[in-house]
């Protein structure tokens, strides 16, 4: 009987008083604690370690949030992510912990009264120093790194970023372990976790942009100009001030071998006439701009009853990416597609909480054309104080409806160039012109290959001038399999151009206009456009919007 009592006594104390610890860590940078941080918390025992944050374990963390559970018996770990209130994902890694290697150094120090030894390793060119103790007979660390060293109480990255234990507590109970029965592969896990951190609005998915009488609209996507334009209405949620907004377009050839002008754009519908009316009813129904050179330019400047399109992003297709990858050159591995991505956070007030018409266009005359996907992504930041922003669309000479008869931007052949008059109902402070410009005329003396000065005048006074020119086009050779090769050893896609390259985005520039008073103003763009040669002519695609407080 005494032996039986002794057995149960040993079993009781052996299970109840096993060593379980809670360690709290804080992060500092360049010797200063990071403000308003959520402390890292590690729970650890002989068999299990859990890593998270104070708010996660208290059920107060924002979504998404992530914890790590190490199984010391199998030397593996599970990454667990709560994407929202109803969806949790996890993935198991049985390899990474066993691959970690360290240099063991002779340095020692005491942290929170515990004798610590030092190990060092290099991860992605970062030097990591870890201080760990064996005195508590358990292992753990505030990250996956160093889990098998001992109990890591301090980590130092590159000498200036530190994660250091501030408290070690012995505890009786661990946090509840989540259900780990349905695992996904780590690559899928990381992708789902990354995508859950921002909002993605899918605008177009593998949309064909081609030139064909067979191109038809669907219930959600309208096609115009023989299929060279696709348009749809989307709803954009409220976007917090200070958040980042990006647009991205993925393109590959579906038959067209040439470099083409593309545009991802918004159609303002706040005035009686819109560009959408011109697409539906014909380009001649759009307001006309006439600068005295004998041509009529449809829908290119703002009028009292009309706003031109606003370009989110101007992009240029390369020569036949994907479709013509079978054209082989030694030591050249062609890209499968081209990704264009741009920050458009400055257009927040045009997008936030709105239903907007969004379109995409690639000017081409090919039946196969191009295949594109396009998204808008919203990346929330902390709310910031900001003055209200006004956005005033002014002009766009990019002839989106080229294949439906819209005139090319050749108005710069006259001294008047492009001129738009606009009215401000109230003063605008810190006004800026968001200006996109590219020159075209694809022969030796065409403006595509000849630098030309752009001059901007406000109320008849010059405010800015520059010569838009790209000299980095050769950087994108691997996106241009069908680009022609010349006797001098260059390919067509290598040549410098007037602010664009095959396979790139043309970024807007921001021109300071200062404080503008309420009332009438005139903005003028002058470019010394080259003269025609035979059937060849030059043109300029310029677009501009006014942004200010």
């Amino acid at each position: 009987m005494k032996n039986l009592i002794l057995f149960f006594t040993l079993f009781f104390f052996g299970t109840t008083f096993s060593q379980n610890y809670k360690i709290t860590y804080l992060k500092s940078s360049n010797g200063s604690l990071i403000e308003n941080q959520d402390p890292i918390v590690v729970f650890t025992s002989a068999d299990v370690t859990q890593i998270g944050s104070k708010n996660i374990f208290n059920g107060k963390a924002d979504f998404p949030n992530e914890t790590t559970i190490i199984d010391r018996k199998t030397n593996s770990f599970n990454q667990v992510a709560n994407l929202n209130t109803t969806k949790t994902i996890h993935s198991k890694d049985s390899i990474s912990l066993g691959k970690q290697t360290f240099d063991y150094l002779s340095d020692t120090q005491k942290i929170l009264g515990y004798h610590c030894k030092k190990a060092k390793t290099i991860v992605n060119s970062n030097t990591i120093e870890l201080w760990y103790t064996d005195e508590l007979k358990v292992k753990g660390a505030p990250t996956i790194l160093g889990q098998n060293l001992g109990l890591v109480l301090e980590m130092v990255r590159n000498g200036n970023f530190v994660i250091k234990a501030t408290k070690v507590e012995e505890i009786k109970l661990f946090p509840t372990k989540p259900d780990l029965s349905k695992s996904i592969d780590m690559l899928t896990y990381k992708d789902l976790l990354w995508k859950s951190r921002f909002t993605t609005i899918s605008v177009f998915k593998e949309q064909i942009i081609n030139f064909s009488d067979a191109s038809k609209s669907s219930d959600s996507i309208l096609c115009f100009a023989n299929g060279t334009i696709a348009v749809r209405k989307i709803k954009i949620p409220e976007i917090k001030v200070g958040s980042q907004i990006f647009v991205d377009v993925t393109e590959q050839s579906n038959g067209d071998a040439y470099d083409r002008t593309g545009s991802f754009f918004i159609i303002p519908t706040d005035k009686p006439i819109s560009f959408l009316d011109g697409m539906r009813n014909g380009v001649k129904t759009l307001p006309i701009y006439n600068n005295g050179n004998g041509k009529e330019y449809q829908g290119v400047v703002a009028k009292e009853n009309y706003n031109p399109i606003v370009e989110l992003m101007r992009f240029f297709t390369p020569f036949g990416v994907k479709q013509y990858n079978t054209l082989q050159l030694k030591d050249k591995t062609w890209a499968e597609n081209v990704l264009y991505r741009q920050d458009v956070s400055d257009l927040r007030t045009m997008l936030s909480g709105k239903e907007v018409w969004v379109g995409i266009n690639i000017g081409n005359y090919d039946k196969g054309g191009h295949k594109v996907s396009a998204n808008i992504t919203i990346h929330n930041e902390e709310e910031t104080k900001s003055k209200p922003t006004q956005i005033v669309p002014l002009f766009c000479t990019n002839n989106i409806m080229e294949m439906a008869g819209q005139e090319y931007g050749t108005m710069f052949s006259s001294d008047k160039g492009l001129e738009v008059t606009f009215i401000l109902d109230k003063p605008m402070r810190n006004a800026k012109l968001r200006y996109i410009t590219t020159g075209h005329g694809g022969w030796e003396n065409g403006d595509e290959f000849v630098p030309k000065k752009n001059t901007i005048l406000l109320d008849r006074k010059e405010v800015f001038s520059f010569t838009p020119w790209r000299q980095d086009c050769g950087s994108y050779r691997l996106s241009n399999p069908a680009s022609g090769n010349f006797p001098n050893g260059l390919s067509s896609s290598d040549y410098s151009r007037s602010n664009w390259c095959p396979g790139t985005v043309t970024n807007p520039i921001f021109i300071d206009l200062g404080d503008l008073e309420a009332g009438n103003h005139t903005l003028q763009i002058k470019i010394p456009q080259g003269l025609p040669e035979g059937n060849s002519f030059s043109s300029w695609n310029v677009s501009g919007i006014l942004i200010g407080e």
Side-chain angles (χ1 to χ4, degrees), residues 492-508:
S492 177
S493 64
D494 294 330
Y495 278 83
S496 300
R497 287 170 166 83
S498 287
N499 212 31
W500 64 276
C501 299
T504 68
V505 169
T506 291
N507 293 319

Side-chain angles (χ1 to χ4, degrees), residues 39 75 95 104 175 197 310 364 400 427 446 483 495:
N75 201 31
I95 299 173
Y104 297 92
R197 298 185 185 278
V310 174
N364 73 100
I400 303 297
S483 178
Y495 278 83

Side-chain angles (χ1 to χ4, degrees), residues 278-291:
M279 288 190 285
R280 284 171 166 163
N281 304 320
V283 69
K284 292 183 179 180
T285 63
L286 293 173
I288 298 299
Y289 172 71
N290 191 319
N291 72 342

Side-chain angles (χ1 to χ4, degrees), residues 120 149 230 244 319 351 468:
K120 184 175 74 172
L149 288 173
Q244 302 294 300
F319 287 92
L351 301 170

